[in-house]
Amino acid sequence: MGGTDEKTREEENKQMEAPKMAPFDLNDFTIIKEGDAEILMHAKNEVFFNKTQVNNRDMSIAVMRTFISKYKQEHEALSSKRMKTGPKASDASSIEAEAAMDSTTHNEKSNDACNASEEISQDEASSISEKQASHQDGKCHGELKQPRVLEALSASGLRALRYAREVDGIGQVVALDNDKVSVEACRRNIKFNGSVACSKVESHLADARVYMLTHPKEFEVVDLDPYGSPSVFLDSAVQSVVDGGMLMCTATDMAVLCGGNGEVCYSKYGSYPLRGKYCHEMALRILLACIESHANRYKRYIVPVLSVQMDFYVRVFVRIYSSAGAMKNTPLKLSYVYQCIGCDSFHLQPIGRTVSKNTSIRYLPGFGPVVPQECSDCGKKYNMGGPIWSAPIHDQEWVTSILADVKSMKDRYPAYDRISAVLTTISEELPDVPLFLSLHNLCATLKCTSPSAVIFRSAVINAGYRISGTHVNPLGLKTDAPMDVIWDIMRCWVKTHPVKAQPPDQAGSVILAKKPVLQASFARAVASLSKAQAKKVPRFPPNPERHWGPKLRAGRKITNKHASLLGPEAVNGINNHEEGEEPPTKRKKTEDPTPNSCNSSVSLPPC
């Protein structure tokens, strides 16, 4: 079988070998430098490139550096344990401990509100025996191989080149694309970046879905950054990652994920979005729930280490493990959301629950409904959305490690200001509180003046609850206080800051007609400001330049109507370049090119 696999691989490599690079005119290209990598971009919109995604690429590099470090530590810990206990016993005990640790620790982290537990059955034993078999095959013995990375949608190859040149300890980087022009550009850029890139990065013309399906559990890191929705790639991606590996996934179809087209979101992600102020965080949680659903089909589950919403997209970093027993915890990590149409009240309905009896633990459907037909605060109806991932979306230990690494290497991150600000804000979020409130929306419902964030946070803390900001929205507030406590605080605020009379049927009038049960204290609390706020660390820096956002899909002709995306200067420059070009039949052929001339044809040396 080994010989057959090697022959198959050789045949694949021959089919995917890069052809000899034809000479090209450097005058038609612009050299773009980002980090340690440089790429040649054609003046026309032939291959997709977005400067804005430097935030995305920098964050991915930071996470990958931390992943490689932790991956080595985990392997060393497992190897030392195996050396102490002996080869046979260690395999079984370490794997059993690993599976048990994964199923319990991740369950405890994510399901405090659900009182989650699990039933120990033959499925769990079978999953452990499967792991034992895989370890006995020799995958976990010996030295740890350098992690292999798959960039499934490479375009110009800039991301793959940065991984290869900037991340220490990385092995092979495979860059895929289904577009011939993009693959040619990627191969040209690989050679343009010299021997390091040539030795580590390889580019293939292939359908990413087919490639990942035919290479199961072969990559320690799989990176998905499509133009639009990643939903069609998720099923094959979760199969291509090794146990304990990392899946990085971006979704840019925010209009769909944030409730603009709920039915489309349900067809792509299996979840119905709601249009609340928390819609961007809900988009993150919808994507995580979708990845978990795909992983569960293969007795796998995910553990999110970092989930961010930046610019015009969401980006999640999850580790993937295999365990039939731990997979049973999935219903405890998912919830439906009830959003009142009259006020900002929302409530979560867990899908599952567990019951413990002696040593056995059973899974049961969740109790419901958690809300009546009409909102208890304002009397209006509820909209229902979900299911969403209601477990933690970050691992705070990872966030701390990533932030420390970024600060220690700030000169190597072109987007240091932005990613350090996002990571700082995430490090101060409440990890176990799904979604958030908007103080301005609460005040808009009551038609009252808004208290400062410090005053409102102090009132929540004085009432005995926790509160924090969120990286998604500068005005968002995460808190474990129930909605009746929030409205009591606002009623007490309105007492000292009266509002004009409103029609009695409005939500704000109904809320203010009730007397507060809690007498709120607005005295300044010590923890009303986070450490970053107290030190005046920037948390939401402005965009570095205008037109910082999404760009056109590759291949589309750039016209004046795209000025709002690219800026009028960029559009005029491209149009002037096209007008200045001669028709193809009249262009002069370049003979005897001189290597030192920038306007001459250049042939890059082979790797």
Side-chain angles (χ1 to χ4, degrees):
M1 288 294 289
T4 308
D5 291 341
E6 288 177 5
K7 288 180 181 178
T8 308
R9 291 284 167 78
E10 288 176 5
E11 290 174 2
E12 286 181 4
N13 292 333
K14 286 179 182 178
Q15 291 173 1
M16 297 180 177
E17 269 182 4
K20 292 181 180 179
M21 190 63 61
F24 57 89
D25 190 351
L26 272 179
N27 199 37
D28 292 337
F29 295 88
T30 303
I31 297 177
I32 297 175
K33 179 176 174 60
E34 185 181 291
D36 293 346
E38 292 182 334
I39 60 170
L40 297 169
M41 285 300 297
H42 200 278
K44 295 181 180 178
N45 187 33
E46 292 183 347
V47 179
F48 183 76
F49 168 75
N50 189 355
K51 182 180 179 180
T52 311
Q53 292 288 67
V54 63
N55 299 331
N56 188 318
R57 290 184 282 269
D58 273 9
M59 187 71 79
S60 302
I61 289 170
V63 173
M64 191 178 293
R65 283 176 174 147
T66 303
F67 167 73
I68 290 175
S69 174
K70 289 187 178 292
Y71 198 67
K72 288 179 180 177
Q73 291 173 8
E74 291 168 0
H75 181 267
E76 289 170 2
L78 194 62
S79 299
S80 61
K81 187 174 182 181
R82 187 178 293 116
M83 291 286 289
K84 290 178 181 178
T85 57
K88 293 184 178 179
S90 65
D91 281 344
S93 61
S94 61
I95 296 164
E96 193 169 333
E98 182 187 348
M101 180 180 65
D102 291 339
S103 61
T104 55
T105 56
H106 300 320
N107 186 23
E108 287 173 4
K109 281 185 182 179
S110 57
N111 302 295
D112 292 341
C114 303
N115 295 326
S117 352
E118 165 188 1
E119 184 179 286
I120 300 171
S121 64
Q122 293 181 355
D123 290 339
E124 198 170 359
S126 66
S127 71
I128 294 172
S129 64
E130 289 171 6
K131 280 196 173 185
Q132 291 174 1
S134 67
H135 278 242
Q136 288 170 2
D137 287 340
K139 292 182 181 179
C140 291
H141 291 303
E143 295 181 0
L144 180 67
K145 295 181 180 179
Q146 288 186 321
R148 298 181 69 210
V149 180
L150 173 66
E151 191 196 356
L153 306 147
S154 62
S156 65
L158 175 59
R159 187 183 298 261
L161 291 168
R162 289 196 63 189
Y163 287 163
R165 298 196 62 170
E166 298 181 36
V167 182
D168 295 332
I170 202 172
Q172 183 187 33
V173 182
V174 179
L176 303 179
D177 208 291
N178 206 20
D179 177 59
K180 289 183 179 179
V181 177
S182 296
V183 173
E184 288 174 5
C186 184
R187 290 170 175 169
R188 180 168 58 240
N189 291 327
I190 291 171
K191 293 184 178 181
F192 188 69
N193 278 266
S195 58
V196 174
C198 288
S199 62
K200 287 190 174 183
V201 186
E202 59 182 55
S203 177
H204 298 319
L205 176 65
D207 188 323
R209 295 167 293 183
V210 176
Y211 190 92
M212 289 187 287
L213 283 173
T214 53
H215 295 76
K217 294 187 178 182
E218 284 196 15
F219 295 95
E220 279 72 22
V221 180
V222 172
D223 191 328
L224 293 177
D225 188 18
Y227 191 100
S229 172
S231 58
V232 296
F233 302 101
L234 293 178
D235 196 78
S236 50
V238 296
Q239 299 179 65
S240 188
V241 183
V242 302
D243 282 347
M246 175 81 71
L247 172 62
M248 306 175 175
C249 182
T250 303
T252 61
D253 55 335
M254 296 301 288
V256 171
L257 283 165
C258 292
N261 302 93
E263 68 283 358
V264 178
C265 182
Y266 188 83
S267 67
K268 288 184 176 181
Y269 298 97
S271 182
Y272 211 98
L274 297 174
R275 301 191 69 177
K277 272 293 180 182
Y278 50 69
C279 61
H280 293 92
E281 183 179 330
M282 191 172 187
L284 278 171
R285 295 180 178 276
I286 287 173
L287 179 57
L288 287 171
C290 184
I291 298 173
E292 174 80 347
S293 173
H294 285 284
N296 286 169
R297 296 164 198 175
Y298 308 100
K299 295 183 180 180
R300 313 191 86 183
Y301 66 98
I302 68 169
V303 179
V305 297
L306 181 66
S307 307
V308 297
Q309 188 273 320
M310 290 192 298
D311 300 320
F312 54 90
Y313 57 86
V314 290
R315 175 84 162 163
V316 297
F317 303 86
V318 301
R319 298 191 70 177
I320 297 182
Y321 298 91
S322 297
S323 172
M327 185 191 68
K328 295 179 183 178
N329 293 322
T330 295
L332 311 176
K333 304 172 188 175
L334 303 177
S335 298
Y336 287 97
V337 183
Y338 291 92
Q339 171 68 60
C340 176
I341 62 174
C343 63
D344 271 354
S345 300
F346 66 86
H347 305 270
L348 269 66
Q349 165 70 67
I351 289 181
R353 62 187 175 91
T354 54
V355 175
S356 303
K357 186 177 180 181
N358 298 328
T359 56
S360 66
I361 304 167
R362 296 176 55 207
Y363 284 99
L364 296 172
F367 284 127
V370 293
V371 293
Q373 282 288 318
E374 297 178 346
C375 177
S376 57
D377 296 310
C378 69
K380 303 293 184 181
K381 298 286 186 181
Y382 285 100
N383 282 333
M384 189 180 78
I388 65 168
W389 180 272
S390 54
I393 59 176
H394 315 293
D395 185 320
Q396 291 299 329
E397 183 185 347
W398 274 71
V399 174
T400 304
S401 300
I402 296 167
L403 182 57
D405 176 75
V406 168
K407 288 181 177 179
S408 67
M409 307 173 70
K410 59 189 301 183
D411 295 335
R412 300 194 64 184
Y413 293 100
Y416 169 78
D417 292 340
R418 182 61 191 277
I419 66 170
S420 62
V422 170
L423 289 169
T424 299
T425 312
I426 289 174
S427 67
E428 297 178 340
E429 282 187 10
L430 290 176
D432 56 344
V433 177
L435 308 181
F436 60 86
L437 297 167
S438 169
L439 182 56
H440 285 195
N441 269 33
L442 294 173
C443 296
T445 301
L446 301 180
K447 306 292 191 295
C448 70
T449 59
S450 175
S452 69
V454 172
I455 291 176
F456 184 80
R457 290 166 72 126
S458 297
V460 173
I461 293 169
N462 293 334
Y465 298 96
R466 298 175 298 151
I467 190 168
S468 76
T470 171
H471 80 282
V472 174
N473 190 327
L475 303 175
L477 294 170
K478 282 179 169 288
T479 177
D480 58 352
M483 286 308 303
D484 55 351
V485 171
I486 299 297
W487 288 122
D488 276 351
I489 291 173
M490 295 306 299
R491 291 186 189 105
C492 294
W493 172 258
V494 171
K495 277 186 178 181
T496 56
H497 300 77
V499 299
K500 294 180 180 179
Q502 301 292 331
D505 60 335
Q506 286 197 359
S509 301
V510 175
I511 291 171
L512 292 176
K514 300 176 182 178
K515 292 183 179 181
V517 177
L518 170 74
Q519 295 302 317
S521 169
F522 294 100
R524 176 74 175 266
V526 177
S528 58
L529 282 178
S530 67
K531 292 180 180 179
Q533 287 175 313
K535 295 178 181 178
K536 295 186 178 180
V537 177
R539 297 174 301 128
F540 296 93
N543 292 334
E545 59 187 50
R546 296 185 65 191
H547 309 289
W548 191 259
K551 297 294 183 284
L552 290 179
R553 187 187 292 271
R556 293 186 62 180
K557 186 176 180 180
I558 297 174
T559 61
N560 291 330
K561 70 178 182 180
H562 300 125
S564 60
L565 284 178
L566 307 176
E569 295 178 359
V571 171
N572 291 337
I574 293 169
N575 290 340
N576 292 338
H577 183 275
E578 290 179 354
E579 289 173 4
E581 286 184 350
E582 298 179 10
T585 54
K586 295 183 180 180
R587 294 190 68 175
K588 297 178 181 179
K589 294 182 180 179
T590 306
E591 296 180 0
D592 299 327
T594 53
N596 296 327
S597 173
C598 292
N599 297 326
S600 63
S601 298
V602 177
S603 179
L604 292 175
C607 290

